[in-house]
Amino acid sequence: MASTTRRTRPPNTDLTRMIDQCDGASHKSLAHRVNQLAHEAGLATSYTHTSVANWCRRGMVPDWPVPRLLAQAVGERLGRPVGLAEIGMADAETPDADVGLDFRRDPADAVRVATSFWSTVNRRDFLTGSGFAVSAFATPVTRWLVTPADETAAHRGRGRVGAADLTELRDAADDARRWDSKYGGGSWRANSVTACLQERAVPLLNGSFSDGVGRELFSVTAELSRLAGWTAFDVGQHDAAQRHFIQALRMARAGGDVQLGCYVLTTMAMQTLLRGFASEAIDMTQGAFQRAKREAAPRVLAFTKLIEARAHARDGDAKAASAALAASETLLGQARDGGEEPAWIDFYHHARLSADATEIFRDLKNPKAALSWNAQATAMPSGVFTRSVGMRLAIVGTAHLQGRDLDHGLELGNQAVDILARVRSSRALDYVREFNTALSPWRREPQVVEYLQRTRKELGVAA
């Protein structure tokens, strides 16, 4: 059982009374429903009729978020929302609302915050939510821009951290990147990165290591946290994603890895952009670029400029978008394959730039330019970059619809559904929704009606 009882109280007469009002609700059926809701929230519980009896007769209170799930189960029976106070658990302990959001100045404090977050993240209630607060990034971004690298990374603790430990974490990060690209953030392998942080990274961060080993340890841990944030973002867990990104940025600073900090901040900007805050995303990418331009590899800086271009496009500024895109292309031309660049940026080549440029000009409602850029983008094999191919098909299909080419657009839309039905990515589904919106002028056409019914059935995307 995942949750344990925290304390004993007098009998919970409020809960007993509420259950009595639920026609036909036995303690066994209520426990079964609570287990179902917990499973949907990613929690492993095995409550029984005895558990419910203990909550009622002995006033025992289960760990959060079970009180909320119990109120939901009772509310389902009554056909109305039920609050915690009604079931006698108004003061049930809730998770720390700020866990994972801190960006501590002191390195030791920063490690304590990060390890506390990673040690409990899979039990946190915010994993079930999709909230996003752009203000949560304000302090972390400011503090990283002021000081992007700590002075030392050495630490004395339990157990010596060595090269084999670092290799294990790097391999885990590489594996997670591959599976995320192929199957989306909802794949079991991509999600295992949170387990790696909890089970492997946390003990190592509390161990003994030199400054050199410590910097590598913090950097690879930052990349793991960035990946955990990206996979959470991909499946719509935006609150959890923000917290992972913040801790990734702090670990990059602890490792003195300015170019990784630039990349993490760029990823944060992308989340900010896709949550509807284009102006803030522009500020974040420009800040990342200026802070890292003397230390980061050209390919890293090129990617930051690419995301800035995407943000300008969403903001409707064609001139600024084109300028940032040109800057990205110039920097990418300075990069050399096989050079001393981090592995996490090896995905960014001209084909990726062209694919994103297609989206930029789609957002600017310039289908001619969008399709011209798409012609320059190398086709990606669906078996390797499944999600990316599906999203790109939806983007290009939307550009064709903007150009009033229904037949070609609809063909690509159906191909996108073929591919995206095999991945778990709420982010990818957003592109299908955008495509469906572009179909509005043809809503009554039989082939469009058929397509919209298909997306509803196979992807769960409303027409």
Side-chain angles (χ1 to χ4, degrees):
M1 185 180 296
S3 298
T4 58
T5 301
R6 291 194 180 282
R7 54 190 179 276
T8 301
R9 296 176 172 177
N12 189 338
T13 56
D14 290 328
L15 177 59
T16 301
R17 183 172 59 255
M18 294 297 290
I19 294 176
D20 288 343
Q21 293 177 17
C22 301
D23 294 337
S26 66
H27 285 185
K28 182 179 180 179
S29 65
L30 198 59
H32 178 68
R33 181 54 180 155
V34 168
N35 288 332
Q36 285 183 324
L37 293 171
H39 177 73
E40 292 170 5
L43 304 173
T45 63
S46 55
Y47 292 112
T48 66
H49 65 285
T50 302
S51 306
V52 179
N54 285 334
W55 299 339
C56 293
R57 298 169 190 165
R58 299 176 61 189
M60 299 175 76
V61 180
D63 281 351
W64 189 266
V66 177
R68 178 178 61 76
L69 303 179
L70 176 59
Q72 181 179 341
V74 172
E76 289 173 351
R77 293 280 186 168
L78 295 177
R80 65 173 179 82
V82 170
L84 291 176
E86 292 183 88
I87 62 170
M89 297 184 183
D91 58 345
E93 184 174 351
T94 59
D96 181 359
D98 294 329
V99 64
L101 295 175
D102 282 344
F103 190 99
R104 297 293 180 89
R105 294 186 179 91
D106 180 75
D109 288 342
V111 170
R112 281 193 290 272
V113 168
T115 55
S116 175
F117 169 59
W118 294 325
S119 295
T120 60
V121 62
N122 288 328
R123 301 196 299 272
R124 294 290 178 175
D125 184 46
F126 55 69
L127 283 177
T128 63
S130 59
F132 175 84
V134 68
S135 59
F137 283 154
T139 296
V141 170
T142 300
R143 289 185 179 172
W144 183 84
L145 290 174
V146 170
T147 308
D150 288 339
E151 292 182 0
T152 181
H155 183 260
R156 296 188 65 179
R158 290 186 177 182
R160 173 66 60 177
V161 179
D165 299 307
L166 299 176
T167 298
E168 181 182 0
L169 294 183
R170 289 194 198 95
D171 288 346
D174 291 341
D175 192 42
R177 276 194 297 269
R178 286 191 296 270
W179 278 74
D180 172 67
S181 293
K182 188 171 183 179
Y183 297 112
S187 73
W188 68 269
R189 186 71 65 88
N191 284 337
S192 68
V193 70
T194 56
C196 182
L197 283 166
Q198 178 180 347
E199 297 167 12
R200 294 297 298 134
V202 168
L204 294 176
L205 289 171
N206 290 316
S208 291
F209 41 83
S210 65
D211 179 70
V213 170
R215 291 190 182 280
E216 291 187 57
L217 174 61
F218 284 125
S219 290
V220 69
T221 303
E223 171 57 4
L224 282 166
S225 191
R226 191 205 69 82
L227 282 164
W230 184 251
T231 56
F233 170 53
D234 195 43
V235 296
Q237 294 173 350
H238 301 293
D239 192 358
Q242 280 195 279
R243 298 164 197 259
H244 277 299
F245 289 150
I246 289 169
Q247 297 315 309
L249 189 66
R250 186 58 188 88
M251 291 300 100
R253 170 170 147 171
D257 197 336
V258 178
Q259 69 175 351
L260 177 57
C262 175
Y263 181 50
V264 172
L265 182 48
T266 299
T267 308
M268 293 163 68
M270 192 184 305
Q271 182 190 24
T272 301
L273 165 64
L274 296 180
R275 296 310 294 163
F277 299 91
S279 181
E280 289 81 354
I282 293 168
D283 292 337
M284 293 165 71
T285 53
Q286 290 179 342
F289 182 87
Q290 290 299 322
R291 201 65 177 88
K293 64 183 180 182
R294 292 181 178 84
E295 299 185 53
R299 200 180 305 273
V300 176
L301 295 173
F303 185 69
T304 297
K305 279 296 178 183
L306 177 75
I307 303 307
E308 181 189 342
R310 287 180 57 171
H312 284 302
R314 290 284 178 117
D315 205 35
D317 190 336
K319 182 178 180 180
S322 296
L325 182 62
S328 180
E329 191 169 23
T330 298
L331 286 162
L332 195 55
Q334 297 171 10
R336 294 291 178 266
D337 292 340
E340 294 185 3
E341 295 180 332
W344 39 257
I345 199 64
D346 61 7
F347 68 92
Y348 190 44
H349 290 82
H350 195 276
R352 170 62 191 268
L353 180 145
S354 299
D356 277 42
T358 303
E359 181 174 354
I360 286 168
F361 286 100
R362 180 212 62 170
D363 289 341
L364 291 169
K365 295 182 172 53
N366 185 341
K368 182 177 180 180
L371 296 175
S372 176
W373 274 102
N374 181 62
Q376 301 178 45
T378 304
M380 293 181 290
S382 61
V384 178
F385 296 105
T386 309
R387 178 187 55 199
S388 298
V389 172
M391 291 190 300
R392 181 171 151 194
L393 286 167
I395 292 166
V396 178
T398 303
H400 279 290
L401 295 178
Q402 290 174 343
R404 311 300 294 177
D405 185 348
L406 174 62
D407 291 341
H408 201 171
L410 204 53
E411 178 185 355
L412 296 178
N414 276 297
Q415 291 177 24
V417 175
D418 291 340
I419 291 175
L420 296 178
R422 305 203 302 265
V423 304
R424 291 182 58 195
S425 170
S426 64
R427 183 169 60 96
L429 297 184
D430 286 340
Y431 286 91
V432 177
R433 294 185 182 95
E434 291 170 345
F435 177 85
N436 289 1
T437 298
L439 283 170
S440 295
W442 302 278
R443 284 277 169 171
R444 296 184 180 181
E445 295 291 334
Q447 66 268 41
V448 173
V449 172
E450 181 181 357
Y451 166 82
L452 293 175
Q453 290 174 343
R454 184 187 179 204
T455 60
R456 186 187 302 109
K457 179 181 179 181
E458 298 185 23
L459 302 180
V461 175

